[in-house]
Amino acid sequence: MSPLRRIGRLASRVTIALAAAAALLFASLAAVPAAPAQAAGLDGTWACSVPAGYTYDQVQQTRQCSGGASWTSTVFHLRTPAEGVLSCTPVDGFVYDYVSFGSACAQVGPQATSYRLRTPVDGLTACTVKPGWTYDLISYTTACSTSPGVPATTYRIKQPVNGLWACWAPAGWSYTATTSTYDCSYTSGVPSTKYRLAG
């Protein structure tokens, strides 16, 4: 066999070996799960953006994130969502049961709303209903109002179970009976309907 042919075969084998090694490397990297945002330990720090897995409870206008320019931009005081945390925004997986007003979350104007996060539990009175849940009583209070002093609707949230009388049947549920009641009325003195859930 000529030397040139031997060199060609050797080069071909080296190329195949390098390609196989690269494929193994990329496969091993893809198999490593991404670390959750909380692993970075950013709770209580100020940041230029809000990463996945966090919310924020304060904002400031500073030059921290302006790259040395003379203009200011918003920085966020990061929080890990948890029971009782006041958040500048609602957070998926939580409901909220109280809305407050102040300058902490204000990016434009003197005031903005904050939301007290709550872990959904059966029977909690909240301003929102967790997706897939229902409610069996509504009331009106200023605790959930986004307009200071104006009452807003609150809900006694419930996990759907067979036989529960609820103000509505969530997705995936049917009902076997209805009844007239004031429990679910959005207008005072006007009766509404409750549904006995089946699913």
Side-chain angles (χ1 to χ4, degrees):
M1 180 180 297
S2 71
L4 287 177
R5 185 172 293 179
R6 286 179 184 167
I7 292 171
R9 284 189 176 180
L10 181 60
S12 176
R13 288 177 183 165
V14 169
T15 303
I16 291 170
L18 288 175
L24 285 172
L25 175 63
F26 288 124
S28 65
L29 290 175
V32 176
Q38 286 82 354
L42 298 177
D43 188 64
T45 62
W46 289 91
C48 301
S49 61
V50 183
Y54 286 91
T55 185
Y56 60 99
D57 64 354
Q58 297 177 58
V59 295
Q60 287 183 359
Q61 299 297 322
T62 74
R63 295 182 184 177
Q64 175 179 336
C65 302
S66 65
S70 60
W71 46 266
T72 62
S73 60
T74 304
V75 292
F76 305 88
H77 186 250
L78 302 180
R79 295 299 311 274
T80 302
E83 175 77 13
V85 165
L86 276 177
S87 171
C88 294
T89 63
V91 176
D92 288 346
F94 291 84
V95 295
Y96 58 92
D97 69 346
Y98 180 72
V99 177
S100 61
F101 297 85
S103 60
C105 296
Q107 296 186 53
V108 178
Q111 286 196 326
T113 52
S114 296
Y115 306 87
R116 184 170 64 193
L117 301 182
R118 297 295 306 273
T119 302
V121 293
D122 202 67
L124 174 70
T125 297
C127 307
T128 54
V129 181
K130 180 180 177 179
W133 284 40
T134 186
Y135 57 96
D136 67 349
L137 180 68
I138 65 172
S139 56
Y140 293 89
T141 174
T142 57
C144 295
S145 178
T146 55
S147 299
V150 179
T153 307
T154 59
Y155 308 88
R156 187 168 67 190
I157 62 175
K158 303 289 286 186
Q159 272 191 302
V161 294
N162 284 319
L164 174 69
W165 286 98
C167 296
W168 64 283
W173 288 80
S174 186
Y175 53 94
T176 57
T178 62
T179 186
S180 182
T181 177
Y182 293 99
D183 290 351
C184 308
S185 298
Y186 285 94
T187 304
S188 179
V190 176
S192 57
T193 303
K194 263 191 170 178
Y195 307 87
R196 188 166 63 194
L197 298 185

